Amino acid sequence: MTKETTQNSELPYEKFLRLGPGALTEAELLAIILRTGAKNCPALTLAQKVLSLAGGKGQGLNSIHHLSLEELMGLPGIGEVKAVKVKCLGELAMRMARERAAARLCFNNPATVAEYYMENLRHQEKEMILLLLLDNKLNLIEEYMISVGTVRASLLSSREVFIEALKCRASFLMLLHNHPSGDPAPSKQDILITQKIKEAGELMDIPLMDHIVIGDGRYISFKEKALL
């Protein structure tokens, strides 16, 4: 057996020790987390099956978040312990991405706000609306989940928005919500309710700074699109 053949057939753990994590594929990295496979299914093959299952819901490793424990445990060789490990891996990836984005977060810059909330909202299977309440220096006072809707629509009450804004003595407010379809294009309903809240905010001297719609790796800012 040649040296090249030996290197091509080495196990992910040994490859990690020889070349470091940057040389490993997503499947090889996941195989190290799983540690073992099943009968006639080594850890690497099992990892490839997990990524294939996740790939049906998005883009490979980034879509692990969408997999339930039950779906993972449906794969031969994955019990509760391994399923929990995989889910924890997805959660760690999301938190690390959010921590990196936090360093650049500026509420006057829609791109940084979208980046910060992207990993939290893009994986949700229902529409969720976040109300961000800001002080007069654009510092976050409170983040409030104001609505959780169905897979197609959210319920947003302008009355509830301003009850929370007044309670926190907010100077500005911002809305974010996700589209589970992955397409951040605002609907007619999104535009109408945003306009309604904008007008109410002007009357109450609590301006709506922006409404950002989060898709899958994409976003649309009402401010940037001159929809406010």
Side-chain angles (χ1 to χ4, degrees), residues 40-212:
N40 299 320
C41 182
L44 182 56
T45 302
L46 186 55
Q48 290 166 340
K49 289 183 178 182
V50 171
L51 291 177
S52 178
L53 184 62
K57 299 195 172 190
Q59 298 178 347
L61 202 57
N62 287 329
S63 297
I64 282 179
H65 230 291
H66 290 296
L67 297 176
S68 67
L69 287 176
E70 290 74 18
E71 287 175 310
L72 287 165
M73 291 168 64
L75 292 174
I78 293 192
E80 184 179 82
V81 172
K82 286 181 181 175
V84 167
K85 283 184 178 181
V86 172
K87 291 294 291 179
C88 286
L89 178 63
E91 182 67 23
L92 279 171
M94 185 186 76
R95 294 188 188 188
M96 289 169 69
R98 188 165 182 173
E99 187 173 327
R100 287 194 300 269
R104 298 184 289 273
L105 180 59
C106 171
F107 288 100
N108 206 28
N109 184 334
T112 68
V113 178
E115 181 185 12
Y116 181 72
Y117 288 97
M118 179 66 68
E119 291 307 309
N120 185 43
L121 290 176
R122 68 186 289 205
H123 301 294
Q124 303 297 330
E125 295 184 358
K126 292 183 178 181
E127 283 199 11
M128 307 177 74
I129 295 182
L130 283 178
L131 171 63
L132 307 183
L133 302 172
L134 310 172
D135 65 18
N136 59 1
K137 294 183 179 180
L138 301 185
N139 297 311
L140 183 65
I141 301 172
E142 186 175 341
E143 175 185 308
Y144 181 66
M145 181 69 68
I146 201 163
S147 173
V148 177
T150 66
V151 73
R152 294 184 179 176
S154 297
L155 299 174
L156 175 59
S157 164
S158 56
R159 178 175 179 273
E160 189 173 1
V161 166
F162 288 100
I163 286 175
E164 294 302 323
L166 291 170
K167 189 189 301 181
C168 293
R169 299 183 180 182
S171 297
F172 299 93
L173 56 89
M174 184 179 293
L175 293 170
L176 289 95
H177 86 276
N178 64 305
H179 281 176
S181 67
D183 180 1
S187 67
K188 183 178 179 180
Q189 183 183 14
D190 293 338
I191 294 171
L192 289 174
I193 191 64
T194 302
Q195 186 62 32
K196 182 179 178 181
I197 292 173
K198 175 195 173 185
E199 292 171 358
E202 289 170 349
L203 289 172
M204 301 184 72
D205 199 25
I206 309 176
L208 175 64
M209 287 187 60
D210 202 352
H211 185 171
I212 298 175

